[in-house]
Amino acid sequence: MTTIKGAYDGITVLDFTQGIAGPHASMLLALHGADVIKVEPPEGDWGRALGELKGDHCAHSVAFNRGKRSIALDLKSADGIAVVKKIAAKAHVVMESFRPGVISRLGFGYEDIRKVNPNVIYCSVSGFGQTGPYSKRPTVDGLIQAFSGMMVMNKMPDGTPWRQGMIAVDVTTGLYTFQALATALMRQFRYNEGCFIDSSLMRAAAAFQGAKLMEWVFSKGAPPVLYMPAGSYKTSNGYIMVSAMRPHHFRLLFELIGRQDIADDPDLQSHENRIKNAAKIIKALNETMPTKTTEEWIAILQPKDVFCERVNNYSDYLDHPHVKESGAIDWIEQDGFGRMPVANIAGLPPASQHAPQQHAPHVGEDGADILGELGYTASDIDAMFARGGVRAPAPAVKAAD
């Protein structure tokens, strides 16, 4: 395997973050070459238990912690404090996701780190941000979906607000945090300046929905349907998603499914009238689409450039020939967890060609190596492990099947 130069080779990241949002951002730094030192509590990042646990990993912790190194320690112990201070003094980036105020009480806030590392990039990731009346309010992804308006934007046909079935805000926050860190690292490189980044789930959710916020204000709270038809409809063996924005697509769709009455309906010949009379269109599709399989409809519609796709589950996606042939997915073996699919990210080598950046560390797995690099001797390290302020790696967990 060829050696791949990473954009952030030589960059050290001290990563206190847990869960998904912060770890996603720091993982992206790691995939681009940064040495991300994941500082976990002795019991491990709480994000390791977001779902079915196997050994000390769940799917989420593998997905968002690849490429990092882990050291597990007690931030209130003398040994833990001494170790973190040594890492902090040399780190280019420090990240944390405690509730606002907690990290400063522990002695590792932005002002504390700046005293020993003036040009540090310091990033705090929280639910509602570092200031404001809700800053110390506990929250989770679903609550931010509710708070930010996302559930109303994603409402069900009967009007019920609905939460995304994944931790969409956390993942999105990781992306926005990574882009903030990437530009901050460029400033640090060019101007030798550090900064403080206040990243929050609330702000990321709003940024993701920026156009919807504008649309809401512009339409005085009544955003129109963009076009009709657009939605998923039951077939004889599943569901099909159709989208017919342009007039000729609308006509073609209904001619091809055998509903000339809808294609010729005088009440449906303009964009505005199709939206106004959406119920008539939806009724026709609900009546007609169940008469054939999804595959039969696609064979009829796609050759005529009518936009439609099968509604897949994740197995359908992973097994699809286009996904395989385009290299969208690679498979990695995570020791103690199993063979897992990895979605390849634009701008990075395929996971299969990037092996050093694919392993997600076990709790404290790299503690001895990290301590050695900080100048501690073997006897020092053994003594730390014995005192318990720094947790020794757990071979039994690493070898779990």
Side-chain angles (χ1 to χ4, degrees):
M1 184 174 295
T2 57
T3 301
I4 299 167
K5 292 181 179 179
Y8 298 130
D9 285 357
I11 297 295
T12 298
V13 179
L14 172 57
D15 182 16
F16 294 108
T17 65
Q18 298 186 59
I20 300 300
H24 186 199
S26 59
M27 182 195 74
L28 292 169
L29 293 173
L31 295 182
H32 284 282
D35 178 17
V36 177
I37 299 174
K38 183 177 179 69
V39 174
E40 305 186 66
E43 67 275 15
D45 176 352
W46 61 261
R48 291 179 179 273
L50 283 170
E52 182 181 354
L53 196 65
K54 188 173 183 182
D56 62 356
H57 273 304
C58 65
H60 285 89
S61 65
V62 173
F64 296 111
N65 286 287
R66 292 175 288 129
K68 304 177 188 179
R69 299 194 293 163
S70 169
I71 183 168
L73 49 78
D74 180 354
L75 285 173
K76 295 180 180 179
S77 70
D79 286 339
I81 291 168
V83 169
V84 169
K85 282 184 175 179
K86 286 196 173 195
I87 302 171
K90 69 169 187 172
H92 299 83
V93 176
V94 175
M95 301 176 62
E96 64 90 13
S97 61
F98 295 101
R99 200 175 301 180
V102 171
I103 194 71
S104 293
R105 290 198 296 273
L106 290 169
F108 300 113
Y110 178 46
E111 295 303 326
D112 301 302
I113 303 299
R114 280 183 72 192
K115 291 174 183 176
V116 296
N117 191 345
N119 301 323
V120 71
I121 296 166
Y122 195 104
C123 179
S124 292
V125 183
S126 62
F128 286 97
Q130 300 298 304
T131 60
Y134 274 24
S135 61
K136 296 184 180 179
R137 190 177 182 126
T139 193
V140 292
D141 186 285
L143 298 184
I144 295 294
Q145 289 193 34
F147 182 85
S148 68
M150 184 179 285
M151 287 175 59
V152 173
M153 180 271 287
N154 193 45
K155 63 185 177 183
M156 300 293 284
D158 66 0
T160 303
W162 203 254
R163 179 180 69 86
Q164 293 281 342
M166 64 170 285
I167 43 177
V169 176
D170 267 293
V171 175
T172 302
T173 303
L175 292 172
Y176 280 114
T177 304
F178 171 69
Q179 67 86 25
L181 289 166
T183 53
L185 279 163
M186 178 60 77
R187 288 196 304 272
Q188 188 185 66
F189 175 74
R190 294 184 67 190
Y191 309 120
N192 200 30
E193 292 179 358
C195 64
F196 177 78
I197 298 170
D198 178 3
S199 180
S200 69
L201 273 67
M202 181 190 73
R203 288 189 182 191
F208 180 67
Q209 299 174 92
K212 299 300 290 184
L213 294 175
M214 292 183 184
E215 183 184 59
W216 181 270
V217 172
F218 184 72
S219 66
K220 296 180 172 58
V225 175
L226 296 181
Y227 53 90
M228 175 60 60
S232 61
Y233 296 90
K234 188 171 178 56
T235 65
S236 66
N237 69 336
Y239 289 85
I240 188 170
M241 180 76 184
V242 298
S243 178
M245 178 174 65
R246 297 179 180 179
H248 67 283
H249 286 153
F250 169 79
R251 173 166 289 278
L252 259 178
L253 167 64
F254 284 97
E255 287 178 348
L256 290 169
I257 68 172
R259 293 300 301 263
Q260 194 70 42
D261 59 318
I262 299 297
D264 293 337
D265 191 320
D267 293 336
L268 302 175
Q269 298 308 305
S270 71
H271 172 78
E272 292 76 13
N273 282 339
R274 286 191 287 277
I275 292 173
K276 180 181 176 181
N277 296 293
K280 187 181 291 189
I281 295 171
I282 293 169
K283 180 175 182 291
L285 289 168
N286 283 333
E287 291 171 350
T288 308
M289 302 314 282
T291 63
K292 295 184 186 295
T293 67
T294 301
E295 292 72 26
E296 287 172 332
W297 285 127
I298 287 175
I300 291 169
L301 298 173
Q302 281 190 349
K304 299 294 185 180
D305 291 331
V306 175
F307 293 179
C308 62
E309 286 293 347
R310 185 178 190 267
V311 177
N312 289 330
N313 62 30
Y314 290 137
S315 293
D316 298 328
Y317 179 81
L318 292 171
D319 292 338
H320 197 283
H322 177 78
V323 172
K324 291 180 176 180
E325 291 176 25
S326 66
I329 295 289
D330 266 331
W331 291 80
I332 62 168
E333 188 71 33
Q334 170 68 31
D335 65 300
F337 196 76
R339 188 168 177 263
M340 289 289 109
V342 173
N344 284 321
I345 299 170
L348 285 168
S352 59
Q353 299 174 26
H354 209 204
Q357 272 71 40
Q358 300 312 318
H359 174 70
H362 299 285
V363 180
E365 177 180 348
D366 308 285
D369 290 340
I370 293 167
L371 292 172
E373 292 165 9
L374 294 173
Y376 292 100
T377 67
S379 59
D380 292 335
I381 294 169
D382 289 341
M384 281 185 175
F385 289 160
R387 288 191 293 268
V390 181
R391 171 180 160 174
V397 172
K398 186 173 181 180
D401 56 25

